[in-house]
Amino acid sequence: MTITDIDRLHALMARMTGDEKHSPAATSTLDALWVLYDRVLHVSPETAAEPGRDRFLLSKGHGPMAYYAVLAAKGFFPEELLTGFGSYDSPLGHHPDRTLVPGAEIGSGSLGHGLPIAVGTALGLRAQGIDGPRVWVLIGDAELDEGSNHEAIAYAGPAGLEQLHTLVIDNSSATYGWPGGIASRFAAAGWSAETVDGRDHDALYAAFTAPHPGRPRAVVARVEPKNA
């Protein structure tokens, strides 16, 4: 990412004003989201409805400002929509709505829903014999307090869902921890898992694109603590 890219994304986020912005939840995801959309995901405004597209699911939907900024920067909707963020007649709500936000795969914000949906999406693609697209889901570390995520983790590893990728943004919000860190929880269930600096774009790209034959992939992106 160039300085121009950084400045532009922060300028786009600054256009979103009003209450309930959940700014830490948004800013913690900005770098990882940009690397995904700029260098990894095979999806664009022109291909967003095609069966062969990559799917990105934002489970951490209670802080969508960075997500909206990245979608706008990539042309999924006009940047002018950002100024109405959260207003009565704006499609850009405090939680994304897939029926209103171009490029959004799911409506999200309730903790613990995104990873199970991603598992189902990967299974659906497998059942249709569509093995090209990748399924990415971004969750927050605090979402791992929800049992639904652990059921999804426990299922996806033995099922060998190679198309499934989970990005965990770790800003030290989780109530519980695991010996060896969050990545160890995924690895114990048969996932390929790695922890990286969530602000280092080259490290994120390398982790996002690392091969993991026959296994789902988890990347834990460590960022500054939420209350720092």
Side-chain angles (χ1 to χ4, degrees), residues 21 80 179 194 211 226:
K21 291 191 296 182
E80 289 72 25
E194 182 178 352
K226 180 177 179 180

Side-chain angles (χ1 to χ4, degrees), residues 73-159:
K74 286 298 178 181
F76 284 88
F77 55 78
E79 296 177 5
E80 289 72 25
L81 286 181
L82 298 173
T83 57
F85 166 72
S87 62
Y88 177 77
D89 58 352
S90 173
L92 307 182
H94 295 298
H95 293 181
D97 183 332
R98 71 174 185 84
T99 67
L100 299 176
V101 180
E105 293 279 356
I106 61 171
S108 60
S110 295
L111 301 184
H113 286 181
L115 182 51
I117 294 173
V119 168
T121 302
L123 285 171
L125 290 170
R126 174 188 282 184
Q128 297 174 76
I130 303 174
D131 56 10
R134 295 159 295 177
V135 179
W136 280 87
V137 57
L138 186 155
I139 70 174
D141 61 323
E143 288 194 78
L144 292 172
D145 292 351
E146 302 293 335
S148 56
N149 277 326
H150 293 279
E151 293 180 357
I153 292 168
Y155 178 87

Side-chain angles (χ1 to χ4, degrees), residues 32 167-170 183 193-208 210 217-223:
L167 167 61
V168 184
I169 301 297
D170 181 5
E194 182 178 352
T195 300
V196 297
D197 181 345
R199 301 303 187 191
D200 184 329
H201 290 215
D202 289 337
L204 286 165
Y205 176 75
F208 290 165
R217 175 71 169 165
V219 177
V220 180
R222 289 279 295 153
V223 296

Side-chain angles (χ1 to χ4, degrees), residues 1-11 34 201:
M1 175 185 276
T2 66
I3 295 298
T4 301
D5 292 325
I6 295 172
D7 290 344
R8 182 185 179 198
L9 287 171
H10 281 289
W34 181 253
H201 290 215

Side-chain angles (χ1 to χ4, degrees), residues 7-28:
D7 290 344
R8 182 185 179 198
L9 287 171
H10 281 289
L12 291 174
M13 288 183 67
R15 298 179 69 165
M16 289 174 273
T17 59
D19 297 330
E20 298 184 31
K21 291 191 296 182
H22 290 284
S23 295
T27 55
S28 65

